[in-house]
């Protein structure tokens, strides 16, 4: 077994090292030059009511969504296991659901 040569800086200069992250001045990272106002945010156009879907919610779905919203606003976000109870409550008459929502609103 032959002994390894002693380490020295001179032996490293003979090795070719390629740095994959090195930037070269002749490389252009941007395909087009940046313009002065390119970094500004732009607003989306307002929605066009004519392009909305013509879909009406059933009273049951409206009451269910209102109950979800009222619980969330009251600081009681509905859990997935609460879905069956919320579905049962939303089938109750509208005045009962309105009373529930008012009670939840007053607990804040």
């Amino acid at each position: 077994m032959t002994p390894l040569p002693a380490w020295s800086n001179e032996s490293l200069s003979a090795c070719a090292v390629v740095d994959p992250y090195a930037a070269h001045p002749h490389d252009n990272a941007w395909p087009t030059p940046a313009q002065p106002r390119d970094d500004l945010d732009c607003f989306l156009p307002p929605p066009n009511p004519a392009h909305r879907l013509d879909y009406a919610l059933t009273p049951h779905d409206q009451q269910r969504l209102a109950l979800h919203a009222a619980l969330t606003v009251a600081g009681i976000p509905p859990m997935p296991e609460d879905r069956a109870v919320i579905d049962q409550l939303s089938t109750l008459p509208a005045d009962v659901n309105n009373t529930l929502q008012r009670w939840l609103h007053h607990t804040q």
Side-chain angles (χ1 to χ4, degrees):
M1 184 155 120
T2 57
L4 292 174
W7 183 85
S8 72
N9 284 337
E10 289 81 26
S11 64
L12 291 178
S13 63
C15 299
V17 177
V18 177
D19 183 6
Y21 301 107
H24 300 287
H26 63 275
D27 292 342
N28 187 1
W30 299 101
T32 58
Q35 301 299 320
R37 298 178 55 89
D38 278 352
D39 60 345
L40 295 178
D41 289 335
C42 62
F43 293 107
L44 293 174
N48 184 352
H51 293 140
R52 291 186 181 172
L53 297 176
D54 186 23
Y55 182 75
L57 291 175
T58 63
H60 173 288
D61 288 334
Q62 289 176 351
Q63 291 173 355
R64 183 177 49 80
L65 291 173
L67 189 54
H68 269 276
L71 286 168
T72 304
V73 168
I76 312 165
M79 302 298 286
E81 57 268 12
D82 299 334
R83 182 176 180 174
V85 175
I86 292 172
D87 283 341
Q88 291 274 332
L89 288 173
S90 62
T91 59
L92 296 173
D95 57 341
V96 174
N97 273 296
N98 292 337
T99 304
L100 284 172
Q101 291 174 28
R102 273 185 280 148
W103 286 349
L104 288 171
H105 181 71
H106 288 293
T107 61
Q108 296 177 11

XYZ file of all heavy atoms in Angstrom:
841
model
N 0.838 -1.156 0.000
C 0.000 0.000 0.000
C 0.893 1.231 0.000
O 1.769 1.379 0.831
C -0.872 -0.037 1.256
C -1.847 1.071 1.295
S -3.219 0.579 2.313
C -3.209 1.743 3.554
N 0.610 2.130 -0.940
C 1.426 3.335 -1.050
C 0.829 4.428 -0.177
O -0.387 4.588 -0.107
C 1.499 3.830 -2.506
O 0.180 4.053 -2.955
C 2.183 2.824 -3.388
N 1.659 5.180 0.492
C 1.137 6.252 1.347
C 0.578 7.393 0.500
O 1.020 7.644 -0.616
C 2.355 6.691 2.149
C 3.512 6.263 1.333
C 3.094 5.060 0.555
N -0.437 8.075 1.040
C -1.033 9.227 0.364
C -0.087 10.413 0.454
O 0.605 10.595 1.450
C -2.359 9.592 1.028
C -3.491 8.579 0.860
C -4.693 9.008 1.679
C -3.881 8.432 -0.589
N -0.038 11.236 -0.605
C 0.835 12.404 -0.544
C 0.300 13.421 0.461
O -0.889 13.461 0.765
C 0.807 12.962 -1.964
C -0.432 12.427 -2.568
C -0.718 11.129 -1.890
N 1.195 14.207 0.979
C 0.813 15.251 1.930
C -0.040 16.301 1.230
O 0.146 16.582 0.043
C 2.055 15.891 2.530
N -0.976 16.888 1.952
C -1.866 17.887 1.380
C -1.124 19.194 1.188
O -0.350 19.638 2.036
C -3.047 18.115 2.326
C -4.046 19.076 1.772
C -5.057 18.796 0.943
C -4.110 20.476 2.031
N -5.779 19.921 0.651
C -5.200 20.984 1.314
C -3.346 21.367 2.773
C -5.561 22.316 1.317
C -3.711 22.695 2.779
C -4.814 23.155 2.056
N -1.371 19.841 0.026
C -0.774 21.150 -0.224
C -1.644 21.909 -1.218
O -2.372 21.324 -2.007
C 0.650 21.009 -0.758
O 0.606 20.537 -2.083
N -1.546 23.231 -1.166
C -2.307 24.074 -2.082
C -1.860 23.891 -3.520
O -2.643 24.047 -4.441
C -2.155 25.550 -1.696
C -2.990 25.898 -0.480
O -3.957 25.218 -0.186
N -2.597 26.948 0.221
N -0.609 23.584 -3.724
C -0.093 23.429 -5.079
C -0.755 22.257 -5.790
O -0.976 22.290 -6.994
C 1.426 23.242 -5.065
C 2.200 24.501 -4.695
C 2.234 24.721 -3.182
O 2.124 23.745 -2.420
O 2.342 25.882 -2.771
N -1.080 21.208 -5.068
C -1.699 20.055 -5.723
C -3.144 20.354 -6.114
O -3.686 19.754 -7.023
C -1.624 18.825 -4.821
O -2.375 19.046 -3.651
N -3.800 21.296 -5.414
C -5.173 21.657 -5.756
C -5.260 22.493 -7.021
O -6.258 22.467 -7.722
C -5.833 22.415 -4.600
C -6.118 21.612 -3.337
C -6.711 22.512 -2.276
C -7.074 20.470 -3.632
N -4.245 23.238 -7.332
C -4.302 24.092 -8.516
C -4.323 23.281 -9.799
O -4.747 23.768 -10.834
C -3.125 25.072 -8.519
O -1.913 24.350 -8.601
N -3.916 22.047 -9.747
C -3.920 21.211 -10.939
C -5.310 20.644 -11.213
O -5.572 20.147 -12.297
C -2.912 20.078 -10.780
N -6.215 20.696 -10.241
C -7.569 20.151 -10.409
C -8.472 21.206 -11.034
O -8.417 22.374 -10.683
C -8.155 19.730 -9.073
S -7.227 18.452 -8.242
N -9.301 20.782 -11.954
C -10.285 21.681 -12.555
C -11.575 21.585 -11.747
O -12.111 20.509 -11.544
C -10.528 21.303 -14.000
N -12.067 22.724 -11.258
C -13.296 22.764 -10.485
C -14.297 23.623 -11.250
O -13.992 24.728 -11.666
C -13.042 23.364 -9.084
C -14.343 23.462 -8.308
C -12.022 22.538 -8.337
N -15.477 23.081 -11.438
C -16.525 23.807 -12.133
C -17.580 24.197 -11.103
O -18.107 23.358 -10.380
C -17.164 22.940 -13.236
C -18.309 23.673 -13.904
C -16.117 22.528 -14.244
N -17.871 25.493 -11.036
C -18.893 25.987 -10.124
C -20.195 26.144 -10.907
O -20.304 27.014 -11.771
C -18.457 27.323 -9.523
C -19.444 27.852 -8.507
O -20.411 27.128 -8.180
O -19.246 28.978 -8.039
N -21.214 25.294 -10.630
C -22.448 25.393 -11.414
C -23.241 26.668 -11.127
O -24.121 27.031 -11.879
C -23.250 24.161 -10.986
C -22.722 23.810 -9.646
C -21.278 24.232 -9.631
N -22.927 27.364 -10.026
C -23.664 28.573 -9.664
C -22.928 29.851 -10.059
O -23.381 30.939 -9.741
C -23.944 28.587 -8.156
C -24.747 27.391 -7.731
C -24.167 26.354 -7.025
C -26.090 27.290 -8.063
C -24.900 25.250 -6.644
C -26.834 26.191 -7.686
C -26.233 25.168 -6.984
O -26.970 24.071 -6.605
N -21.811 29.712 -10.709
C -21.044 30.894 -11.093
C -21.781 31.652 -12.194
O -22.328 31.072 -13.121
C -19.661 30.496 -11.572
N -21.825 32.969 -12.072
C -22.465 33.819 -13.083
C -21.377 34.433 -13.948
O -20.358 34.897 -13.453
C -23.278 34.902 -12.416
N -21.602 34.394 -15.217
C -20.646 34.973 -16.153
C -21.238 36.242 -16.733
O -22.435 36.314 -17.013
C -20.326 33.971 -17.266
C -19.728 32.704 -16.749
N -18.454 32.622 -16.277
C -20.261 31.466 -16.601
C -18.207 31.382 -15.880
N -19.301 30.666 -16.064
N -20.428 37.270 -16.916
C -20.963 38.542 -17.412
C -21.627 38.438 -18.780
O -22.549 39.190 -19.076
C -19.756 39.462 -17.474
C -18.603 38.714 -16.934
C -19.025 37.318 -16.652
N -21.210 37.501 -19.613
C -21.805 37.420 -20.951
C -23.133 36.672 -20.939
O -23.859 36.682 -21.919
C -20.827 36.761 -21.935
C -20.502 35.339 -21.592
N -19.503 35.021 -20.704
C -21.050 34.173 -21.993
C -19.445 33.693 -20.583
N -20.374 33.165 -21.345
N -23.479 36.013 -19.824
C -24.777 35.342 -19.721
C -25.846 36.366 -19.370
O -25.674 37.173 -18.480
C -24.763 34.263 -18.633
C -23.873 33.092 -19.007
O -23.560 32.957 -20.201
O -23.493 32.335 -18.095
N -26.950 36.315 -20.083
C -28.058 37.227 -19.812
C -29.174 36.425 -19.154
O -29.789 35.567 -19.772
C -28.547 37.867 -21.109
C -29.574 38.950 -20.849
O -29.913 39.232 -19.709
N -30.073 39.549 -21.911
N -29.439 36.684 -17.865
C -30.456 35.935 -17.148
C -31.869 36.371 -17.534
O -32.804 35.600 -17.416
C -30.258 36.115 -15.653
N -32.043 37.602 -18.001
C -33.366 38.099 -18.365
C -33.507 38.102 -19.884
O -32.679 38.639 -20.591
C -33.564 39.528 -17.856
C -33.470 39.621 -16.368
C -32.412 40.047 -15.647
C -34.459 39.255 -15.432
N -32.669 39.969 -14.317
C -33.935 39.491 -14.156
C -35.750 38.748 -15.544
C -34.649 39.233 -12.998
C -36.457 38.507 -14.388
C -35.909 38.749 -13.137
N -34.573 37.498 -20.404
C -34.744 37.488 -21.858
C -35.007 38.878 -22.429
O -34.580 39.186 -23.519
C -35.941 36.570 -22.087
C -36.620 36.445 -20.775
C -35.605 36.769 -19.719
N -35.704 39.721 -21.678
C -35.930 41.094 -22.127
C -35.558 42.021 -20.978
O -35.694 41.657 -19.809
C -37.411 41.340 -22.490
O -38.230 41.045 -21.359
C -37.834 40.481 -23.661
N -35.093 43.205 -21.274
C -34.732 44.122 -20.191
C -35.959 44.512 -19.362
O -37.060 44.636 -19.883
C -34.152 45.341 -20.906
C -34.118 45.018 -22.344
C -34.826 43.742 -22.584
N -35.743 44.685 -18.083
C -36.831 45.092 -17.189
C -37.194 46.541 -17.455
O -36.330 47.382 -17.672
C -36.408 44.908 -15.744
N -38.482 46.808 -17.456
C -38.978 48.163 -17.664
C -39.191 48.828 -16.307
O -39.354 48.149 -15.296
C -40.294 48.126 -18.458
C -40.168 47.469 -19.817
C -39.182 48.202 -20.720
O -39.150 49.423 -20.742
N -38.385 47.454 -21.453
N -39.222 50.148 -16.242
C -39.342 50.828 -14.949
C -40.606 50.471 -14.164
O -40.591 50.443 -12.963
C -39.346 52.307 -15.304
C -38.842 52.403 -16.689
C -39.044 51.077 -17.338
N -41.722 50.182 -14.823
C -42.976 49.930 -14.109
C -43.367 48.465 -14.114
O -44.508 48.119 -13.836
C -44.081 50.780 -14.716
C -43.809 52.281 -14.602
C -44.873 53.124 -15.252
N -46.204 52.878 -14.783
C -46.792 53.488 -13.760
N -46.124 54.398 -13.081
N -48.024 53.214 -13.408
N -42.438 47.552 -14.393
C -42.761 46.124 -14.439
C -43.112 45.535 -13.079
O -43.809 44.538 -13.002
C -41.590 45.326 -15.028
C -41.582 45.364 -16.536
O -42.555 45.864 -17.122
O -40.594 44.894 -17.120
N -42.622 46.126 -12.005
C -42.838 45.539 -10.693
C -44.115 46.031 -10.007
O -44.382 45.669 -8.875
C -41.646 45.810 -9.787
C -41.398 47.293 -9.590
O -41.952 48.095 -10.360
O -40.632 47.637 -8.672
N -44.938 46.834 -10.681
C -46.158 47.352 -10.081
C -47.264 46.306 -10.144
O -47.401 45.577 -11.116
C -46.625 48.615 -10.802
C -45.697 49.823 -10.696
C -46.266 50.988 -11.489
C -45.506 50.218 -9.247
N -48.044 46.235 -9.081
C -49.203 45.351 -9.072
C -50.295 45.945 -9.939
O -50.393 47.160 -10.103
C -49.742 45.178 -7.653
C -48.828 44.336 -6.785
O -48.083 43.523 -7.351
O -48.879 44.483 -5.565
N -51.128 45.076 -10.481
C -52.259 45.574 -11.257
C -53.534 44.979 -10.686
O -53.542 43.877 -10.158
C -52.102 45.238 -12.734
S -52.048 43.482 -13.064
N -54.600 45.718 -10.771
C -55.874 45.277 -10.255
C -56.607 44.465 -11.316
O -56.496 44.731 -12.507
C -56.733 46.479 -9.855
C -56.176 47.239 -8.692
C -55.590 48.470 -8.875
C -56.231 46.701 -7.419
C -55.075 49.172 -7.806
C -55.717 47.387 -6.342
C -55.135 48.630 -6.536
N -57.374 43.488 -10.851
C -58.213 42.727 -11.758
C -59.445 43.560 -12.101
O -59.891 44.382 -11.299
C -58.652 41.425 -11.091
C -57.554 40.416 -10.812
C -58.127 39.237 -10.019
C -56.931 39.926 -12.090
N -60.006 43.359 -13.276
C -61.212 44.112 -13.611
C -62.372 43.654 -12.725
O -62.401 42.507 -12.269
C -61.458 43.757 -15.077
C -60.769 42.473 -15.283
C -59.593 42.462 -14.345
N -63.337 44.528 -12.478
C -64.478 44.116 -11.649
C -65.286 43.029 -12.354
O -65.291 42.940 -13.579
C -65.294 45.406 -11.496
C -64.847 46.285 -12.585
C -63.437 45.897 -12.931
N -65.954 42.181 -11.573
C -66.728 41.105 -12.208
C -67.897 41.658 -13.002
O -68.477 42.686 -12.661
C -67.212 40.262 -11.023
C -67.113 41.142 -9.841
C -66.033 42.138 -10.122
N -68.207 40.967 -14.054
C -69.324 41.354 -14.915
C -70.554 40.562 -14.472
O -70.573 39.337 -14.576
C -68.991 41.051 -16.369
C -70.069 41.529 -17.320
O -71.140 41.952 -16.894
N -69.791 41.450 -18.600
N -71.597 41.225 -13.957
C -72.785 40.486 -13.501
C -73.417 39.630 -14.590
O -74.055 38.626 -14.293
C -73.741 41.581 -13.038
C -72.877 42.761 -12.759
C -71.715 42.653 -13.708
N -73.236 39.982 -15.837
C -73.835 39.199 -16.925
C -73.169 37.833 -17.063
O -73.768 36.906 -17.613
C -73.719 39.969 -18.238
N -71.949 37.677 -16.572
C -71.227 36.407 -16.688
C -71.420 35.499 -15.472
O -70.823 34.426 -15.412
C -69.741 36.657 -16.902
C -69.443 37.281 -18.214
N -68.497 38.260 -18.361
C -69.975 37.105 -19.450
C -68.440 38.632 -19.612
N -69.343 37.956 -20.296
N -72.211 35.917 -14.513
C -72.438 35.091 -13.324
C -73.349 33.918 -13.661
O -74.195 33.991 -14.551
C -73.063 35.920 -12.209
C -72.108 36.929 -11.659
C -72.698 37.621 -10.476
N -71.747 38.605 -9.974
C -72.022 39.471 -9.039
N -73.211 39.480 -8.477
N -71.116 40.322 -8.639
N -73.179 32.857 -12.913
C -74.032 31.701 -13.105
C -75.412 31.986 -12.538
O -75.553 32.620 -11.494
C -73.437 30.483 -12.395
C -72.079 30.013 -12.903
C -71.571 28.874 -12.040
C -72.191 29.563 -14.346
N -76.421 31.519 -13.238
C -77.789 31.696 -12.768
C -78.134 30.502 -11.890
O -78.638 29.480 -12.353
C -78.745 31.795 -13.963
C -80.163 32.139 -13.526
O -80.313 32.706 -12.427
O -81.099 31.821 -14.278
N -77.800 30.619 -10.603
C -77.981 29.516 -9.684
C -78.562 30.060 -8.393
O -77.990 30.945 -7.764
C -76.627 28.837 -9.415
C -76.702 27.651 -8.499
C -77.207 26.440 -8.950
C -76.272 27.752 -7.190
C -77.276 25.345 -8.106
C -76.341 26.664 -6.342
C -76.845 25.463 -6.809
O -76.914 24.385 -5.976
N -79.681 29.542 -7.992
C -80.327 29.985 -6.759
C -80.188 28.889 -5.712
O -80.386 27.705 -6.002
C -81.792 30.280 -7.013
N -79.839 29.290 -4.506
C -79.732 28.336 -3.409
C -81.114 28.043 -2.845
O -81.977 28.924 -2.773
C -78.853 28.899 -2.299
C -77.371 29.046 -2.605
C -76.666 29.725 -1.440
C -76.751 27.698 -2.874
N -81.301 26.816 -2.415
C -82.548 26.458 -1.747
C -82.562 27.111 -0.370
O -81.494 27.443 0.181
C -82.668 24.932 -1.596
O -81.603 24.469 -0.756
C -82.594 24.234 -2.955
N -83.726 27.319 0.219
C -83.770 27.901 1.569
C -82.966 27.075 2.583
O -82.317 27.632 3.464
C -85.259 27.910 1.914
C -85.946 27.940 0.599
C -85.068 27.168 -0.345
N -82.976 25.754 2.428
C -82.201 24.885 3.321
C -80.712 25.223 3.227
O -80.019 25.357 4.250
C -82.457 23.426 2.945
C -81.611 22.435 3.673
N -80.271 22.268 3.437
C -81.912 21.559 4.650
C -79.783 21.341 4.218
N -80.761 20.874 4.972
N -80.189 25.370 1.998
C -78.771 25.696 1.812
C -78.455 27.102 2.314
O -77.397 27.330 2.903
C -78.376 25.570 0.343
C -78.308 24.119 -0.120
O -78.082 23.240 0.744
O -78.477 23.873 -1.317
N -79.366 28.040 2.082
C -79.147 29.401 2.583
C -79.069 29.415 4.102
O -78.200 30.071 4.682
C -80.260 30.331 2.101
C -80.211 30.633 0.631
C -81.390 31.484 0.174
O -82.332 31.715 0.932
N -81.335 31.937 -1.073
N -79.962 28.681 4.768
C -79.948 28.630 6.228
C -78.697 27.915 6.736
O -78.112 28.311 7.747
C -81.212 27.937 6.740
C -82.460 28.755 6.515
C -83.726 28.005 6.870
O -83.694 26.823 7.205
N -84.865 28.698 6.791
N -78.274 26.868 6.028
C -77.064 26.133 6.424
C -75.834 27.029 6.331
O -75.024 27.082 7.258
C -76.889 24.887 5.543
C -75.706 24.021 5.920
C -75.640 22.769 5.055
N -75.759 23.035 3.635
C -74.765 23.456 2.853
N -73.576 23.674 3.354
N -74.961 23.659 1.566
N -75.705 27.763 5.235
C -74.560 28.666 5.070
C -74.610 29.814 6.076
O -73.570 30.224 6.619
C -74.524 29.207 3.640
C -74.174 28.177 2.567
C -74.326 28.788 1.180
C -72.777 27.641 2.766
N -75.810 30.324 6.344
C -75.940 31.405 7.328
C -75.566 30.910 8.718
O -74.925 31.624 9.494
C -77.358 31.951 7.310
N -75.930 29.674 9.040
C -75.574 29.112 10.341
C -74.067 28.899 10.451
O -73.461 29.198 11.479
C -76.333 27.809 10.570
C -76.255 27.203 11.957
C -76.674 28.194 13.024
C -77.118 25.950 12.034
N -73.444 28.397 9.383
C -71.976 28.263 9.347
C -71.319 29.621 9.584
O -70.381 29.737 10.383
C -71.514 27.711 7.990
C -71.414 26.235 7.938
N -70.317 25.554 8.376
C -72.278 25.312 7.486
C -70.501 24.267 8.198
N -71.688 24.089 7.655
N -71.800 30.648 8.882
C -71.216 31.984 9.013
C -71.412 32.535 10.423
O -70.492 33.108 11.010
C -71.828 32.928 7.980
N -72.612 32.352 10.990
C -72.885 32.869 12.331
C -72.004 32.177 13.374
O -71.491 32.821 14.295
C -74.359 32.683 12.671
N -71.822 30.864 13.243
C -70.945 30.145 14.170
C -69.505 30.627 14.051
O -68.822 30.829 15.056
C -71.026 28.634 13.913
C -72.297 27.939 14.384
C -72.383 26.537 13.804
C -72.335 27.888 15.898
N -69.054 30.824 12.841
C -67.679 31.268 12.625
C -67.456 32.667 13.174
O -66.449 32.938 13.828
C -67.335 31.219 11.126
O -67.569 29.893 10.647
C -65.899 31.598 10.868
N -68.402 33.572 12.936
C -68.290 34.939 13.444
C -68.308 34.946 14.969
O -67.615 35.733 15.609
C -69.420 35.827 12.863
C -69.509 37.156 13.591
C -69.194 36.053 11.379
N -69.080 34.024 15.569
C -69.162 33.945 17.028
C -67.909 33.324 17.637
O -67.797 33.244 18.853
C -70.396 33.156 17.437
N -66.976 32.880 16.797
C -65.739 32.294 17.309
C -65.843 30.800 17.536
O -65.031 30.221 18.249
N -66.843 30.169 16.946
C -67.033 28.719 17.070
C -66.997 28.126 15.662
O -68.046 27.845 15.073
C -68.393 28.380 17.731
C -68.606 29.216 18.983
C -68.503 26.897 18.046
C -70.028 29.223 19.480
N -65.825 27.972 15.080
C -65.792 27.447 13.711
C -66.305 26.007 13.677
O -65.896 25.180 14.491
C -64.313 27.522 13.330
C -63.580 27.578 14.615
C -64.490 28.197 15.615
N -67.235 25.710 12.787
C -67.790 24.358 12.723
C -66.716 23.335 12.342
O -65.903 23.573 11.459
C -68.862 24.441 11.640
C -69.140 25.886 11.465
C -67.897 26.606 11.842
N -66.741 22.234 13.038
C -65.823 21.130 12.761
C -66.507 20.170 11.783
O -67.739 20.190 11.644
C -65.470 20.404 14.059
C -64.830 21.301 15.106
S -63.271 21.991 14.568
C -62.231 20.567 14.679
N -65.754 19.317 11.101
C -66.387 18.383 10.155
C -67.436 17.483 10.814
O -68.447 17.149 10.197
C -65.210 17.563 9.633
C -64.026 18.441 9.800
C -64.294 19.253 11.025
N -67.221 17.116 12.073
C -68.194 16.246 12.737
C -69.478 16.983 13.118
O -70.461 16.366 13.510
C -67.582 15.568 13.967
C -67.019 16.519 14.984
C -65.544 16.842 14.793
O -64.972 16.516 13.736
O -64.969 17.434 15.705
N -69.499 18.313 12.986
C -70.694 19.113 13.282
C -71.642 19.205 12.091
O -72.731 19.767 12.198
C -70.308 20.536 13.702
C -69.462 20.556 14.956
O -69.565 19.609 15.760
O -68.693 21.525 15.118
N -71.242 18.667 10.973
C -72.020 18.838 9.748
C -73.432 18.266 9.857
O -74.401 18.897 9.427
C -71.283 18.184 8.582
C -71.973 18.357 7.269
C -71.193 17.799 6.131
N -71.921 18.012 4.902
C -71.460 17.733 3.723
N -70.262 17.224 3.607
N -72.180 17.948 2.663
N -73.568 17.087 10.455
C -74.893 16.460 10.562
C -75.825 17.312 11.430
O -77.001 17.488 11.094
C -74.761 15.054 11.135
N -75.297 17.868 12.512
C -76.127 18.698 13.396
C -76.527 19.985 12.681
O -77.688 20.421 12.764
C -75.364 18.998 14.704
C -76.143 19.964 15.580
C -75.073 17.712 15.445
N -75.580 20.592 11.965
C -75.890 21.826 11.239
C -76.925 21.553 10.152
O -77.834 22.360 9.933
C -74.606 22.458 10.677
C -73.738 22.962 11.830
C -74.912 23.574 9.707
C -72.372 23.434 11.428
N -76.816 20.403 9.482
C -77.824 20.051 8.479
C -79.202 19.890 9.116
O -80.205 20.319 8.550
C -77.432 18.767 7.746
C -76.347 18.995 6.711
O -76.159 20.157 6.295
O -75.689 18.015 6.313
N -79.247 19.277 10.296
C -80.532 19.112 11.001
C -81.104 20.468 11.412
O -82.297 20.719 11.258
C -80.332 18.240 12.245
C -80.025 16.795 11.948
C -81.289 15.987 11.752
O -82.327 16.328 12.308
N -81.193 14.940 10.954
N -80.245 21.345 11.948
C -80.718 22.667 12.379
C -81.190 23.513 11.200
O -82.121 24.303 11.330
C -79.611 23.396 13.135
C -79.276 22.868 14.531
C -78.047 23.582 15.081
C -80.461 23.026 15.457
N -80.547 23.355 10.058
C -80.923 24.184 8.911
C -82.238 23.744 8.285
O -82.810 24.475 7.483
C -79.806 24.191 7.866
O -79.594 22.893 7.384
N -82.743 22.567 8.647
C -84.060 22.136 8.136
C -85.199 22.680 8.984
O -86.351 22.571 8.596
C -84.156 20.600 8.093
O -83.961 20.081 9.404
C -83.132 20.019 7.137
N -84.878 23.279 10.132
C -85.907 23.875 10.981
C -86.490 25.103 10.281
O -85.873 25.655 9.365
C -85.317 24.256 12.332
C -84.812 23.089 13.187
C -84.103 23.617 14.428
C -85.955 22.169 13.564
N -87.644 25.555 10.696
C -88.239 26.744 10.061
C -87.300 27.954 10.126
O -86.431 28.054 10.984
C -89.513 26.990 10.882
C -89.834 25.677 11.494
C -88.527 24.990 11.715
N -87.510 28.882 9.209
C -86.616 30.039 9.077
C -86.579 30.888 10.332
O -85.523 31.412 10.706
C -87.030 30.882 7.877
N -87.726 31.034 11.031
C -87.721 31.868 12.230
C -86.878 31.251 13.344
O -86.249 31.962 14.126
C -89.145 32.156 12.708
C -89.964 30.906 12.987
O -89.578 29.830 12.487
O -90.978 31.003 13.698
N -86.808 29.923 13.403
C -85.950 29.260 14.392
C -84.478 29.516 14.053
O -83.673 29.831 14.937
C -86.250 27.745 14.457
C -85.270 27.035 15.378
C -87.679 27.492 14.888
N -84.146 29.416 12.786
C -82.760 29.677 12.366
C -82.375 31.131 12.608
O -81.257 31.419 13.021
C -82.567 29.317 10.892
C -82.218 27.866 10.716
O -81.172 27.427 11.172
N -83.113 27.126 10.092
N -83.304 32.049 12.360
C -83.013 33.463 12.624
C -82.766 33.696 14.108
O -81.881 34.464 14.487
C -84.155 34.349 12.125
C -84.258 34.350 10.615
O -83.283 34.057 9.934
N -85.433 34.663 10.108
N -83.556 33.027 14.958
C -83.356 33.154 16.401
C -81.990 32.604 16.806
O -81.270 33.219 17.599
C -84.481 32.417 17.158
O -85.734 32.937 16.736
C -84.317 32.571 18.651
N -81.618 31.455 16.268
C -80.294 30.883 16.558
C -79.180 31.847 16.149
O -78.216 32.053 16.891
C -80.113 29.548 15.829
C -80.831 28.337 16.389
C -80.694 27.158 15.439
C -80.285 27.988 17.757
N -79.307 32.434 14.990
C -78.279 33.357 14.503
C -78.210 34.607 15.378
O -77.125 35.103 15.656
C -78.541 33.717 13.047
C -78.317 32.534 12.117
C -78.729 32.861 10.703
O -78.693 34.008 10.292
N -79.130 31.834 9.957
N -79.365 35.106 15.829
C -79.356 36.261 16.731
C -78.689 35.922 18.065
O -77.938 36.690 18.615
C -80.776 36.788 16.958
C -81.184 37.792 15.893
C -82.528 38.388 16.191
N -83.487 37.343 15.740
C -84.658 37.101 16.291
N -85.069 37.793 17.306
N -85.438 36.165 15.834
N -78.974 34.724 18.588
C -78.347 34.285 19.834
C -76.836 34.205 19.663
O -76.081 34.616 20.539
C -78.892 32.938 20.276
C -80.273 32.977 20.839
C -81.002 34.082 21.182
C -81.090 31.843 21.099
N -82.244 33.687 21.643
C -82.320 32.326 21.620
C -80.935 30.475 20.955
C -83.361 31.485 21.979
C -81.964 29.641 21.327
C -83.172 30.136 21.835
N -76.408 33.655 18.545
C -74.969 33.556 18.295
C -74.356 34.943 18.143
O -73.235 35.187 18.570
C -74.701 32.701 17.050
C -74.937 31.212 17.220
C -74.862 30.509 15.861
C -73.942 30.609 18.183
N -75.093 35.847 17.524
C -74.585 37.214 17.333
C -74.425 37.935 18.676
O -73.498 38.706 18.871
C -75.515 37.995 16.406
C -75.059 39.393 16.139
N -73.955 39.666 15.364
C -75.551 40.588 16.549
C -73.781 40.975 15.314
N -74.731 41.558 16.029
N -75.341 37.653 19.611
C -75.273 38.329 20.916
C -74.218 37.716 21.837
O -73.881 38.318 22.850
C -76.644 38.296 21.606
C -77.628 39.219 20.960
N -77.497 40.586 20.977
C -78.756 38.966 20.251
C -78.491 41.138 20.322
N -79.271 40.186 19.863
N -73.698 36.545 21.520
C -72.655 35.937 22.372
C -71.301 36.548 22.111
O -70.361 36.263 22.839
C -72.573 34.418 22.138
O -72.228 34.174 20.764
C -73.860 33.729 22.499
N -71.179 37.387 21.126
C -69.872 37.980 20.805
C -69.479 39.000 21.831
O -70.125 39.839 22.266
C -69.897 38.631 19.425
C -70.121 37.650 18.328
C -70.218 38.358 16.990
O -69.927 39.542 16.861
N -70.609 37.647 15.981
